[in-house]
Amino acid sequence: MTSQVHEFQAEARQLLDLMVHSIYSNKDSFLRELVSNASDALDKLRLAGLTDKDLDADISDLHIRLIPDAGARTLTVVDNGIGMSRDEVIGLIGTIAKSGTAELRRKLAESRADGADTAVSEELIGQFGVGFYSTFMVASEVTLVTRKAGESVGTRWTSTGDGTYTIDDVADAPQGTSITLALTAVDEDDAVHDYADRFVLRGLVKKYSDFIAWPIRMLGEAPEPVEPAEGEEAVEPVGPVDETLNSQKALWSKSKDEVTPEEYADFYRHVSHAWDEPLETISLHAEGTFEYQALLFIPTQAPFDLFMRERASGIHLYVKRVFIMDDATELMPEYLRWVQGVVDAADLSLNVSREILQQDRQIRAIRRRLVKKVISTVQEIADKRPDDYRTFWENFGRVFKEGLVNDADNAQAILKASMFASTHSETEPTRLADYLTRMADDQDVIYYMTGESRAQIVGSPHLEAFAAKGIEVLVLSDPVDEVWVGTVPEFDGKKFVSIAKGVVDLDGSDDEADSERDEAFAPLLAWMGEALADDVTQVRLTSRLTDSAACLVGDEFSMTPQLEKLYRASGQEVPRSKRILELNPTHALVERLNERFTASDDHAALAPAASLVFAAAVLAEGGELADPAAVAKLIAQQVADSLA
Ligand SMILES: Nc1ncnc2c1ncn2[C@@H]1O[C@H](COP(=O)(O)OP(=O)(O)OP(=O)(O)O)[C@@H](O)[C@H]1O
């Protein structure tokens, strides 16, 4: 195929544009990205070499090489790794194939609207990770030459970072990938350093990529020619010597006090392809039956694709320092999918397959231990670093809570490390332990209400008497909350009780007065139960209301309307369940209804009022009316009558 000019995909073009005009403060990071990609490519080739005996590729001396050229002002980063086919180059480099692209597009549009101010672009780069494109922060033109292991023809890709790139075939490309940057002018004020300078490169590799497992080599400066001493023969000039710039030490095999926080942070960015700082680093060295080392990170920022179905695990699996796979989902449950890092197991085969991993006893044991460690670390952050914990919770809380549904064994530990909005404070969520300390002596359960939003829950009539009596109620408005409250019965021996279900007795009952009142209302309640039989199972009195006339409650085991809605949204058939209509006997509307009911036998005349009481209860909790038009008609009629 001949030379072809292609256009970048729209998102890729916008991202590139952001890079070319970058005000991102850390320009040096382009090198970390290139080395990281090269290292991944070497990992992949070694693995392919181990598993595919027929692969025609040389894996004898896998390495990365930096070739600075001060005269030409270029820097070339070469690896002899897996390389890319022509289609892969177009697919991987010309487009952003990552999930979360829609989100990226939205953010890019926002950043344009804001005139791409620094904060937006830093945040965007931090969350999305721009990888290869970061080269355009320091290069006016980038040329990539690559040949995939096992293929005979290579590909050249060139772009100046405007809207297009050029693709050519290259007959004699060496296996692997070489990326040449035509460097822009040095601008110390803008943090663009001299990337053709060996001294600068040595420093950057040491700083960002020291732990990379493959050697990163560079030819040193040619030694000054030695003048022969008088009478001696001229010394043969020696060429420059190859240096290895990194120590190649696997950070996960070191103990925590041997590694600096910066080294951990750079390693985190390498494994996660993220650009933020780790919020916490967990290092585990297990000996005994199953020997393994793990180095895990809790990120500061949530990645774009946290909620995408196809998001893989962030755990890289190694066996005795050999990279095996970068998405070992078997090692971390889905609700901890934001954990990034490395697990290096000593006793697995290098050829281990996914199927084997799924059944492996050792993997299961490691996973159990890692899960407990991650949860206890979250709890420690919660106990000791409230600000960091808030950051964590805002980013990952909703996902973390999925564990309450999926990991019964750890549910109590997850609850302990979680926080929940409550009526105690509008802005500050509460830990459950704190809720317990605020409970009155005679309260022995934890009250909660689920709903679609805080506003809807707090405005619902069910909460009235709780608010009036100052009883704290958890305000649970994430979809996952609807589900976990059905599976986790209690915390610390205290039952979770929905204030929208079952019977509530908050008026400190005076039994005699109650039974008189019940008698007085009984005929009305029975009649209303029949009149509204299509919509409710029963009509009864309640003490949970103070201002409203009526509300709807489920029985203790029924689904909430929100949960029904969630099921329907996920395509499952659920019958619309009827609930109980509760009336507030101290409300004028209910009192008058009863007076009219007892005064006349023409009960049918009260049917519209009964229907409206029910409709108002549905609306008050933010629900949807089955027949809004009919209700609107009823209202019009009743208002007209009252104005007559
Ligand atoms: N040196 C290389 N050898 C082989 N493939 C490469 C190389 N550099 C990049 N690639 C391929 O191109 C893809 C895109 O690279 P890029 O750096 O843009 O993103 P990334 O590394 O996948 O993720 P991130 O943007 O989060 O860093 C890589 O995933 C890899 O498949």
Side-chain angles (χ1 to χ4, degrees):
M1 251 180 272
T2 49
S3 179
Q4 287 182 338
V5 177
H6 293 247
E7 283 204 4
F8 283 100
Q9 171 208 31
E11 290 82 23
R13 204 165 51 229
Q14 289 176 33
L15 202 54
L16 262 176
D17 203 47
L18 206 67
M19 287 297 105
V20 174
H21 304 110
S22 175
I23 28 183
Y24 189 72
S25 44
N26 191 356
K27 308 270 199 275
D28 294 346
S29 32
F30 83 91
L31 187 62
R32 177 191 78 207
E33 293 299 315
L34 290 184
V35 167
S36 210
N37 283 345
S39 165
D40 291 349
L42 295 168
D43 283 342
K44 283 180 199 156
L45 181 59
R46 171 158 65 175
L47 192 64
L50 285 172
T51 48
D52 177 3
K53 294 278 169 259
D54 300 331
L55 182 69
D56 179 20
D58 179 9
I59 56 168
S60 59
D61 180 28
L62 299 179
H63 65 273
I64 299 165
R65 178 173 292 285
L66 306 188
I67 307 172
D69 184 335
R73 293 231 14 92
T74 60
L75 168 66
T76 304
V77 179
V78 186
D79 68 70
N80 53 354
I82 191 92
M84 285 174 270
S85 66
R86 184 185 177 110
D87 286 348
E88 281 170 340
V89 172
I90 296 171
L92 295 167
I93 305 290
T95 47
I96 298 171
K98 283 188 255 200
S99 48
T101 319
E103 180 66 9
L104 175 71
R105 192 179 308 139
R106 193 179 63 73
K107 293 254 181 171
L108 280 166
E110 264 172 32
S111 87
R112 254 204 324 267
D114 293 0
D117 69 55
T118 319
V120 175
S121 84
E122 298 250 331
E123 190 208 8
L124 192 61
I125 293 168
Q127 281 181 21
F128 204 76
V130 287
F132 174 77
Y133 290 168
S134 59
T135 49
F136 287 98
M137 294 192 296
V138 301
S140 53
E141 185 177 48
V142 178
T143 304
L144 174 149
V145 177
T146 185
R147 179 167 65 80
K148 189 164 177 130
E151 292 187 1
S152 54
V153 177
T155 306
R156 177 185 296 108
W157 177 102
T158 324
S159 177
T160 54
D162 55 8
T164 61
Y165 59 87
T166 311
I167 289 257
D168 296 290
D169 287 345
V170 185
D172 53 355
Q175 168 205 306
T177 304
S178 101
I179 294 167
T180 301
L181 314 183
L183 297 166
T184 53
V186 175
D187 181 351
E188 296 294 340
D189 288 345
D190 197 22
V192 179
H193 304 116
D194 186 355
Y195 304 111
D197 180 339
R198 288 187 171 74
F199 180 77
V200 171
L201 294 172
R202 277 186 201 108
L204 290 183
V205 169
K206 238 354 236 167
K207 187 164 167 209
Y208 293 120
S209 311
D210 191 54
F211 51 80
I212 293 288
W214 305 104
I216 304 171
R217 297 185 189 142
M218 180 172 74
L219 274 185
E221 293 83 356
E224 293 289 318
V226 184
E227 283 296 319
E230 277 235 353
E232 282 188 19
E233 268 186 44
V235 187
E236 209 32 46
V238 260
V241 182
D242 225 3
E243 311 169 29
T244 298
L245 307 181
N246 56 331
S247 73
Q248 297 174 248
K249 287 216 183 93
L251 284 199
W252 59 87
S253 63
K254 297 190 183 184
S255 74
K256 223 174 166 178
D257 49 4
E258 290 175 85
V259 185
T260 65
E262 290 73 34
E263 285 176 304
Y264 275 141
D266 286 317
F267 184 69
Y268 157 71
R269 287 187 278 260
H270 167 64
V271 287
S272 65
H273 289 241
W275 285 51
D276 59 337
E277 297 285 322
L279 191 72
E280 183 60 295
T281 302
I282 302 170
S283 160
L284 276 179
H285 291 195
E287 285 170 14
T289 336
F290 298 134
E291 215 171 287
Y292 64 91
Q293 293 158 337
L295 180 56
L296 305 179
F297 300 96
I298 298 178
T300 307
Q301 286 184 340
F304 272 109
D305 55 356
L306 186 60
F307 288 98
M308 312 274 160
R309 266 272 150 253
E310 65 276 24
R311 177 168 174 84
S313 138
I315 304 299
H316 296 218
L317 176 66
Y318 283 68
V319 172
K320 293 186 274 298
R321 304 282 176 84
V322 178
F323 170 84
I324 304 293
M325 63 176 73
D326 61 8
D327 57 344
T329 37
E330 293 73 16
L331 281 166
M332 210 44 88
E334 251 186 68
Y335 73 97
L336 301 180
R337 59 185 178 267
W338 35 272
V339 177
Q340 303 282 337
V342 165
V343 172
D344 190 339
D347 308 312
L348 288 175
S349 141
L350 290 178
N351 282 323
V352 67
S353 67
R354 238 174 230 293
E355 290 67 38
I356 294 178
L357 277 188
Q358 276 157 12
Q359 296 154 15
D360 190 84
R361 232 159 51 84
Q362 174 177 2
I363 291 291
R364 280 211 292 269
I366 297 176
R367 168 178 158 135
R368 262 198 304 280
R369 170 94 192 278
L370 297 183
V371 167
K372 289 211 182 321
K373 183 69 189 172
V374 170
I375 298 173
S376 66
T377 304
V378 171
Q379 150 117 40
E380 262 172 53
I381 299 175
D383 291 343
K384 296 185 189 142
R385 293 151 48 195
D387 290 346
D388 284 348
Y389 179 57
R390 256 321 259 278
T391 307
F392 166 81
W393 195 256
E394 273 159 23
N395 282 298
F396 304 111
R398 270 201 290 163
V399 184
F400 190 56
K401 281 191 289 184
E402 289 172 13
L404 293 171
V405 183
N406 301 324
D407 186 357
D409 290 347
N410 290 304
Q412 289 300 310
I414 297 170
L415 279 179
K416 235 187 219 164
S418 294
M419 64 178 172
F420 303 92
S422 99
T423 50
H424 178 67
S425 159
E426 250 177 64
T427 50
E428 296 298 311
T430 181
R431 310 263 311 269
L432 290 179
D434 296 331
Y435 178 103
L436 297 188
T437 61
R438 286 189 295 265
M439 275 173 24
D441 291 343
D442 58 351
Q443 184 183 335
D444 52 6
V445 299
I446 299 172
Y447 290 111
Y448 71 86
M449 178 157 174
T450 57
E452 279 168 13
S453 66
R454 184 181 181 98
Q456 185 212 56
I457 294 171
V458 173
S460 83
H462 306 87
L463 210 66
E464 286 170 7
F466 289 84
K469 292 196 181 322
I471 300 172
E472 183 174 351
V473 176
L474 300 180
V475 176
L476 305 181
S477 58
D478 286 332
V480 62
D481 292 329
E482 289 286 348
V483 189
W484 76 255
V485 292
T487 58
V488 186
E490 55 170 57
F491 171 72
D492 204 12
K494 303 276 186 296
K495 264 178 73 171
F496 288 109
V497 171
S498 165
I499 64 162
K501 285 184 186 176
V503 180
V504 157
D505 183 10
L506 286 177
D507 63 356
S509 330
D510 168 346
D511 287 346
E512 209 173 309
D514 277 1
S515 78
E516 257 173 49
R517 192 192 63 189
D518 287 352
E519 233 169 82
F521 277 91
L524 170 72
L525 299 180
W527 171 80
M528 266 182 96
E530 269 173 44
L532 299 171
D534 286 346
D535 299 311
V536 303
T537 55
Q538 186 196 352
V539 181
R540 70 185 180 205
L541 299 182
T542 183
S543 63
R544 82 177 92 215
L545 300 172
T546 58
D547 301 334
S548 299
C551 70
L552 286 161
V553 297
D555 66 34
E556 238 163 286
F557 304 101
S558 67
M559 267 189 216
T560 61
Q562 291 82 13
L563 188 57
E564 277 179 25
K565 218 165 152 185
L566 284 176
Y567 275 120
R568 277 191 207 106
S570 73
Q572 297 189 49
E573 279 289 324
V574 252
R576 192 175 287 277
S577 61
K578 290 194 241 174
R579 287 183 295 156
I580 300 160
L581 181 67
E582 290 193 338
L583 301 183
N584 174 3
T586 63
H587 194 282
L589 170 56
V590 178
E591 280 173 352
R592 276 196 213 141
L593 208 53
N594 202 30
E595 281 163 22
R596 282 285 183 88
F597 185 84
T598 15
S600 148
D601 282 342
D602 181 14
H603 296 154
L606 296 177
S611 291
L612 283 178
V613 169
F614 168 74
V618 173
L619 291 176
E621 62 174 23
E624 282 163 25
L625 294 167
D627 187 355
V631 174
K633 259 191 207 148
L634 273 182
I635 294 174
Q637 187 56 53
Q638 296 275 312
V639 176
D641 289 352
S642 75
L643 295 176

